[in-house]
Amino acid sequence: MMRAFSKVDLEIAEAGFSCRVETDFDRLKEDITKTGKPLSPWFWADKYDFNGHNAFCMVLEKDGQGLAYICSQRMDLGARTLEQAYIQRLKALYSHDKTAKLDESWTCEPLQDVTGVVAYSGDAVTHPDLRSCGFSLRTLGLVSRMSLFYTLTYWDDVNWIVGTIPDKNIKRGLGWAYGGNRCYAMSEDWEVMPEDGRGKLNAAIVLSSRKDVLWTAKTVIANRPSE
């Protein structure tokens, strides 16, 4: 895993960027807002007790400026399936919006197979300065792999990495850019979308098991420079 991490880190350095890990989510909220997309409630410090060990954000930088971000937090599902925990979390996060209405009868069956300790990966965003250079998609793919490899070495009890992305990005075939080995459309169904989520429509979910990530690491190491 660390060999693959180092290889991707070198590729990022050769492209003129660097990566670092940030755990101060008050600072991240301010920095990510500068990209034009506010930090989602999944990573608001006033909703969670981020203690420097239960969450982090992989930050791509150039000359000290953050250009791409992927945040992760550890979640122990206990006796719940991911589907149950995900719906409960959505209802709690958007409880402040009294107009929002989630269709609780909707079922995303693949999430029922995920249990135990997982890492939720979200807020994968890029800064306009990076998008204007034409590097956005490629570098997001690199940072997502850095985040995958780091997550499973940082939390050795995590067996799944899960995340949500706009459903339209699944239709565009971009699940891989967010580090997802498995992609499922419509992980949720809103009858009335939360006010701060109206731009994304119903989310799709991306999943990677520990075995999936180990395979990704193996392929990263095996790829020849010409590839």
Side-chain angles (χ1 to χ4, degrees), residues 9-223:
D9 191 35
L10 178 60
E11 188 173 349
I12 287 173
E14 289 174 344
F17 304 97
S18 62
C19 266
R20 67 176 177 84
V21 173
E22 177 63 67
T23 59
D24 183 345
F25 280 86
D26 286 322
R27 174 183 176 183
L28 282 166
K29 188 172 185 178
E30 180 179 341
D31 289 349
I32 288 179
T33 300
K34 295 176 184 177
T35 70
K37 177 197 171 188
L39 184 70
S40 77
W42 288 82
F43 292 98
W44 287 358
D46 60 346
K47 287 184 177 289
Y48 300 102
D49 180 21
F50 293 132
N51 57 24
H53 301 285
N54 57 1
F56 71 88
C57 191
M58 189 68 65
V59 183
L60 179 84
E61 292 184 320
K62 186 176 179 64
D63 299 327
Q65 179 183 353
L67 295 174
Y69 303 82
I70 297 182
C71 301
S72 298
Q73 64 170 291
R74 181 184 177 278
M75 296 173 55
D76 189 344
L77 303 182
R80 301 170 298 170
T81 66
L82 177 59
E83 182 186 48
Q84 293 169 327
Y86 181 62
I87 294 301
Q88 289 172 1
R89 182 67 67 91
L90 284 177
K91 290 166 64 178
L93 289 176
Y94 295 105
S95 61
H96 63 280
D97 187 344
K98 303 306 181 184
T99 66
K101 186 178 181 182
L102 184 68
D103 181 358
E104 296 184 46
S105 68
W106 179 260
T107 298
C108 183
E109 287 87 354
L111 305 190
Q112 297 173 4
D113 297 327
V114 180
T115 58
V117 181
V118 305
Y120 175 81
S121 178
D123 287 83
V125 298
T126 54
H127 194 280
D129 288 353
L130 183 64
R131 296 195 289 269
S132 66
C133 295
F135 296 126
S136 179
L137 188 59
R138 174 174 173 249
T139 50
L140 184 60
L142 292 173
V143 176
S144 72
R145 280 151 184 72
M146 291 279 281
S147 182
L148 286 174
F149 302 150
Y150 186 84
T151 295
L152 294 189
T153 54
Y154 191 57
W155 295 311
D156 59 9
D157 58 349
V158 166
N159 287 314
W160 289 90
I161 299 174
V162 305
T164 53
I165 66 174
D167 190 68
K168 65 181 180 180
N169 287 345
I170 289 289
K171 294 180 174 64
R172 294 169 61 198
L174 299 182
W176 64 269
Y178 294 88
N181 293 82
R182 316 177 196 196
C183 306
Y184 303 101
M186 285 193 68
S187 57
E188 62 197 49
D189 185 24
W190 291 93
E191 296 178 11
V192 180
M193 185 67 63
E195 186 63 38
D196 58 357
R198 295 190 193 281
K200 72 172 186 176
L201 300 178
N202 292 303
I205 202 156
V206 292
L207 301 175
S208 293
S209 68
R210 180 173 284 270
K211 287 184 178 180
D212 290 333
V213 180
L214 286 170
W215 175 254
T216 299
K218 183 176 180 179
T219 61
V220 166
I221 294 169
N223 276 338

